[in-house]
Amino acid sequence: RSGDRSGTLAERIEHAIEKRSTVYEQLSPLMLSSKAMIWRSPVIQKNYARNQRGLRKDLLGWLPEISKLSQSRQEAVDSLVSFENWDRLRSQQGLSKKASMEVVNEMLRLVFAIK
């Protein structure tokens, strides 16, 4: 639970994305190897699911407004900030870290109707 969690919703979105993108960049090799082996390891499946729940809870700490969204929008937010989305932006779409952060920021601002 590190990082500055104060400020406007727009500022907290930006800070949360900065924090998460740094973690994703550092742990990308580990996450990719876990995803590659998840289908054959119940232990990895359990650990991955637990980590996903932790990430979701952490994001709620940054953005408690998520709990006021409809269930489908809450799921959309979870998908938007996921490692899978991050990896797609970086490796498949070839975006830089900065550009990927801007895309995720823009998508979250759309979900929350922030101009």
Side-chain angles (χ1 to χ4, degrees):
R1 287 206 56 144
S2 63
D4 181 8
R5 295 174 185 238
S6 63
T8 66
L9 176 58
E11 290 168 337
R12 288 180 285 118
I13 287 172
E14 187 173 331
H15 295 154
I17 293 167
E18 288 171 0
K19 185 73 169 173
R20 194 162 283 209
S21 67
T22 298
V23 170
Y24 285 162
E25 291 291 308
Q26 292 171 350
L27 297 179
S28 182
L30 176 64
M31 294 180 84
L32 290 171
S33 64
S34 293
K35 291 292 288 182
M37 298 184 322
I38 199 167
W39 65 273
R40 63 181 175 177
S41 172
V43 172
I44 293 175
Q45 291 169 14
K46 183 178 176 180
N47 288 341
Y48 198 84
R50 184 185 71 245
N51 289 333
Q52 295 308 302
R53 288 189 303 272
L55 285 169
R56 194 170 182 148
K57 184 177 178 181
D58 181 66
L59 188 64
L60 195 56
W62 284 96
L63 310 171
E65 294 87 349
I66 292 170
S67 63
K68 295 177 182 156
L69 297 173
S70 68
Q71 187 63 42
S72 62
R73 284 196 181 211
Q74 289 181 39
E75 298 301 330
V77 168
D78 195 46
S79 178
L80 293 173
V81 300
S82 69
F83 172 74
E84 290 79 6
N85 186 51
W86 182 260
D87 183 56
R88 177 186 169 90
L89 292 170
R90 298 286 281 127
S91 66
Q92 302 302 312
Q93 293 177 229
L95 299 180
S96 67
K97 179 181 176 183
K98 181 180 179 191
S100 297
M101 289 171 55
E102 290 171 359
V103 168
V104 175
N105 190 319
E106 178 69 21
M107 290 188 298
L108 287 176
R109 292 172 71 90
L110 288 169
V111 168
F112 285 103
I114 300 172
K115 295 183 181 191

